[in-house]
Amino acid sequence: MAALTGRLLLKQKYIHPTSKFLSLIGTGQHQNNFSTSRQNQAAQYGGRHTVTLMTGDGVGPELLGHVQEVFRYAGAPIDFEKIEINSSTNSTEVMKNAMLSVRRNGVAIKGNIETKFDDPTFKSMNVALRTGLNLYASVVCCKSIPNIHSRQKNVDIVLIRENTEGEYRQLEYESVDGVVESLKIITSERSTRIAEYAFDFAVKHGRKKVTAIHKANIMKLGDGLFLECCRKVSKKYPDIEFNDLIIDNASMQMVSRPDQFDVLVMPNLYGNILSNIAVGLIGGAGLVPGMNIGNGYAVFETGTRNSGRSLTGKNIANPVGMLLAGCDMLDYLSHHRHATVIRESVQSVLSDKMIQTPDVGGQATTAEVVQAVIDDIKPKTKSW
Amino acid sequence: MATTSLFRPCVGRTILGNFRSLIAPCGNTQVNKQKYHETTVLHKPVAEPISHPAGRHTITMVPGDGVGPDLMASVQEVFQSAGVPVDFEEIFISEVQPGQSATVGSVVESFKRNGVGLKGIIATPSSFKGGVLQTLNMQIRQELDLFANVVRIKSLAGYKTKHNNLDFVIIREQTEGEYSALEHESVSGVVECLKIVTKEKSQRIAKFAFDYAMRLNRKKVTAVHKANIMKLGDGLFLRSCEEIAELYPSIEFETMIIDNCCMQLVSNPHQFDVMVMPNLYGNIVDNLAAGLVGGAGVVPGESFSHDVAIYEQGARHSYAEAVGRNIANPTATILGACNMLKHLHLEFHSRLIEDAVYRVVKSGKFRTQDMGGYTSTSDFTQAIVNNLHTG
């Protein structure tokens, strides 16, 4: 008990300085104190950005090395602040530094940090980062890539997932011996926020339909609230079609007829599962980027958030997902030209030149794919 | 927590192939502690030059008054000889020669479009003949929101000055403070000159200073102020710096009053690393510190907004008395141009020219008048060109 209070105190102490700062810089709530434009927060000077790079576990460090390599050849105006963080550096000090670094720079790209599930005291650092920075929306865009062997063709789905509450609040306790309660939190504030994000995304990117995924037939109150919020928000967007689907049916539809989906919006855990299914449909974990967006902060990573420990050091991991995550980051920072060049090169290497890693049926190594991308980029930068 | 630049090959080195020879080992940054009274020398891994000349860049060039056009000609000559893939968009703007001057609008538009520019000094007359109080320089800065000025004071090897082996950075807020151009005569014989300090801009410059320190592996940031007298104005600046410093636990933060700072600069300048200060103090300290390592002719400077970077001289003097005499020192302008190339990811060319300049200075054979010799601008430039490929 004493240890618990100790930890609580420690936690408060640790939160204190940043929260104090937050009230100064303002993330939307404190508009009177400080200008809230992203530019003022991001470390952008003379058109160049400093970006936090968190190495993560497994193949994270090597893939991020490749991203740096490709950025260099594309001439992307990005400087990296590298932070070594992985499951073995599980101290508050490292986490605090990583968090501060993102607060300073506004933008980060990261490899996934493994969460040991056989040790109950090990808190997920990925979740801590997302909640700490209030990265409320996770976005994964799944689009079929030509000439990649996959289960389904013509997939073009955007999965938008609430990233900070639901099952991921880590509120679990054993009330009576042998009975564990695990709390899933749904609030109308955050449900409305994610629904608004989804509809805004649909409008901005010319999408036609938003589908809310839920299990409100069983969790009538929790998921019911989420669904209710989505419905309310949909009234404000008459141009966008809205419907809802129960998660089990949605999973089945996803594998059998994925072309019916456009933009999906869902609570945390369903989003986790469905985005993995969708990524699996178009060719696997190595191909798809993902992003976590909050107020003023954004963290980019691979879509399925796995570390690929078994592939470490073998030079066979697929670099495409991380490269595309880098492109998304460049787009977010308004370096559209560089993003487009890299994206097109990746596309042409995968689909036209058919240089692919083993996970999508090719025989090339990671380095070969990256080299092919670089070779493709080189002549394009000549015209600048 | 190490800050890495883009050009630090750690993973994926294998695919570099024959570029490898250009890369130095990518070991960790070593900090070479020297005795007191010496600046800590940081040996950064020399890993940069990879982005080979893939494309051409267009940059804006504003030659300015005085010897500006001559110095820009030197830069162009060196760039041409080094094969730098940069094209210039030249615009002449001047306050003392209004007849030939372009408008502020066209200059600003060009800087905005190209994002990067090279600028000489635009002379400003001290007498006020009516009209707007803002000088052209201030208008350009205001329009582009060039809030941060950076001057890196670095001793040149082989050129002995009062203090040697110096390496520190002065960062100056340059859009508000005393330069707000708000002056008025309220009663006859009484002029009020307003100094504006805002929290937003103070935090912005403080954040710039700390971000700069992080990026270049610096260890300490010193905020310079006069908060003991201007308790509210400079006090706000100081508090803003303190607040931002909390975000950077790995960088030491200290404060110093401007008068003491000036004394320390001439007596023991090696204690400084990165300094951040409001507008006027920055102006004075820039010049003072430039004097420590050889004067206006050898110290480059740069100005940043969020989107635009402009490279110029560190100490702003147009040197009008030397016009047409071919005696100005092109070192500062050429080194500024090298910094610009670095910003454009042209590390290879930047390094090439920089090394040539350092070799010329180190050899001691070529000294322009301000360095105590008789070499002309054109001979000095030629010496740099001759040295380009001898390393």
Side-chain angles (χ1 to χ4, degrees), chain A residues 17-18 20-21 24-25 33-35 39-50 61-69 71-73 75-83 93 96-98 100-101 103-105 367-368 370-371 374 378-379 381-384, chain B residues 1-16 19 47-57 115-116 147-148 199-201 203-204 207-209 211-212 214-215 243-244 246-250 304-309 342-345 347:
Chain A
T18 41
K20 184 179 157 206
F21 181 75
L24 288 165
I25 286 283
N33 290 339
F34 199 80
S35 156
Q39 267 201 338
N40 273 338
Q41 289 187 20
Q44 179 201 353
Y45 307 110
R48 270 177 88 132
H49 290 267
T50 304
E62 56 187 273
L63 293 187
L64 287 166
H66 292 311
V67 170
Q68 283 175 281
E69 192 67 23
F71 273 26
R72 173 156 67 234
Y73 278 96
I78 304 287
D79 296 303
F80 290 100
E81 180 184 331
K82 192 169 176 183
I83 293 192
E93 196 57 32
K96 187 178 149 193
N97 273 338
L100 274 180
S101 173
R103 280 189 204 284
R104 294 193 299 250
N105 298 328
E368 278 164 2
V370 173
Q371 189 58 54
I374 289 172
K378 272 185 190 165
T381 55
K382 280 231 165 72
S383 59
W384 295 355
Chain B
M1 179 163 46
T3 310
T4 58
S5 81
L6 243 178
F7 310 103
R8 187 161 160 200
C10 284
V11 195
R13 281 180 74 183
T14 44
I15 56 174
L16 294 178
F19 284 111
E48 281 80 342
I50 281 296
S51 69
H52 235 267
R56 290 192 77 79
H57 298 265
V116 177
F147 64 92
K199 183 173 186 172
E200 186 185 334
K201 289 192 171 177
Q203 285 191 334
R204 181 169 71 167
K207 185 164 191 298
F208 177 88
D211 281 338
Y212 186 93
M214 285 301 285
R215 191 154 62 85
E243 279 157 8
I244 295 292
E246 277 180 15
L247 277 175
Y248 299 78
S250 60
F304 290 97
S305 76
H306 284 297
D307 300 310
V308 180
K342 251 179 228 153
H343 184 83
L344 289 170
H345 284 277
E347 272 76 12

Side-chain angles (χ1 to χ4, degrees), chain B residues 264-384:
Chain B
Q264 297 292 331
L265 267 173
V266 289
S267 58
N268 177 18
H270 295 99
Q271 64 183 296
F272 294 108
D273 197 347
V274 175
M275 303 160 81
V276 58
M277 57 199 84
N279 212 334
L280 184 64
Y281 309 154
N283 183 236
I284 297 168
V285 169
D286 276 351
N287 277 260
L288 191 160
L292 293 179
V293 295
V298 295
V299 180
E302 49 209 71
S303 292
F304 290 97
S305 76
H306 284 297
D307 300 310
V308 180
I310 294 182
Y311 294 80
E312 52 196 339
Q313 293 177 30
R316 293 165 176 157
H317 300 282
S318 62
Y319 204 13
E321 57 275 27
V323 175
R325 290 168 62 198
N326 200 15
I327 54 167
N329 188 348
T331 309
T333 315
I334 294 175
L335 287 179
C338 291
N339 291 339
M340 179 189 75
L341 295 182
K342 251 179 228 153
H343 184 83
L344 289 170
H345 284 277
L346 295 168
E347 272 76 12
F348 174 79
H349 295 98
S350 171
R351 190 61 55 95
L352 187 73
I353 299 171
E354 221 172 53
D355 286 350
V357 174
Y358 291 151
R359 271 199 298 277
V360 168
V361 174
K362 199 169 183 181
S363 74
K365 280 186 236 160
F366 300 93
R367 291 276 188 261
T368 48
Q369 217 175 61
D370 61 317
M371 297 168 100
Y374 299 98
T375 309
S376 67
T377 309
S378 46
D379 287 350
F380 196 89
T381 310
Q382 194 53 47
I384 292 169

